[in-house]
Amino acid sequence: EKWSQLKKESDEQKEILKGSNDLLLLSSTINDLNNLMKEKQKQAASDDYGKDLSSSKALQRAHEGLERDIEGISERVKDVHE
């Protein structure tokens, strides 16, 4: 009887700890994503259009990379949401 009660309490504590760990991981992931989004937002807000054709093309490539990064962040946000 005492053993089964102890086992039950142990299992309950295990579930509580697992839930706490999951919540901590979720919080950390959300903070990471928030920081990434802030960084990408700063990059997207640039008023630099380039001085000539080559610098404009370089900025265009950088913008395409930024779009890919944002798509990746979006997928991570969807994963967290689920």
Side-chain angles (χ1 to χ4, degrees):
E1 180 63 33
K2 287 184 178 183
W3 175 253
S4 62
Q5 180 64 27
L6 184 61
K7 173 99 170 86
K8 180 182 174 187
E9 290 174 7
S10 174
D11 290 343
E12 289 172 355
Q13 283 294 333
K14 184 178 178 180
E15 286 300 313
I16 290 170
L17 288 172
K18 183 183 180 318
S20 295
N21 187 54
D22 291 347
L23 186 58
L24 185 60
L25 181 60
L26 176 63
S27 177
S28 175
T29 301
I30 290 171
N31 284 336
D32 290 346
L33 289 170
N34 189 37
N35 289 335
L36 279 172
M37 287 188 289
K38 285 179 182 179
E39 178 185 319
K40 299 306 172 185
Q41 188 175 31
K42 286 179 186 176
Q43 291 175 355
S46 174
D47 289 335
D48 186 5
Y49 302 108
K51 298 177 184 173
D52 54 23
L53 182 60
S54 63
S55 63
S56 293
K57 285 184 177 184
L59 287 170
Q60 183 178 9
R61 286 189 301 275
H63 181 78
E64 290 166 356
L66 178 62
E67 287 177 338
R68 284 189 299 276
D69 291 346
I70 291 171
E71 287 175 15
I73 292 169
S74 176
E75 287 301 314
R76 287 182 61 192
V77 169
K78 287 177 188 174
D79 290 344
V80 167
H81 189 311
E82 294 172 353

